[in-house]
Amino acid sequence: NGGETVTKQNQAHKILEYIEAHGSITAWEAMNVLGIMRLAARIADLKAEGIPIVTILRHKVNDDGSYTRWAEYRMGEAA
């Protein structure tokens, strides 16, 4: 529906502003700071609009020995 598209565009705009202000964004930041649950989907929307966003895969070993992976998105070079 039309309202859903506006929401997606608003979310994408907020994500882009956040990246520009902070240099990058992770799913944790999107959820806890912006209230956006589907970061990867909104990043795909931005990329489809031609915005050069790159994905950096991060990882770390937690104190209990478990392994955590996440994606960080930041602006890249224009194609």
Side-chain angles (χ1 to χ4, degrees):
N1 73 40
E4 183 177 317
T5 301
V6 171
T7 300
K8 285 180 182 180
Q9 289 172 344
N10 288 347
Q11 288 182 350
H13 182 73
K14 286 180 182 179
I15 290 164
L16 196 53
E17 284 183 338
Y18 190 92
I19 292 171
E20 289 170 347
H22 301 278
S24 66
I25 192 168
T26 65
W28 187 94
E29 291 166 324
M31 185 172 53
N32 290 290
V33 178
L34 302 178
I36 296 171
M37 299 292 291
R38 299 191 65 224
L39 177 61
R42 298 296 73 81
I43 292 292
D45 293 342
L46 289 167
K47 286 181 176 182
E49 292 178 22
I51 297 171
I53 296 176
V54 295
T55 304
I56 298 148
L57 299 177
R58 303 282 189 196
H59 65 275
K60 74 171 207 151
V61 177
N62 298 311
D63 292 340
D64 66 1
S66 64
Y67 190 74
T68 303
R69 296 183 304 165
W70 68 96
E72 177 183 294
Y73 302 96
R74 55 179 60 233
M75 297 303 291
E77 300 281 323

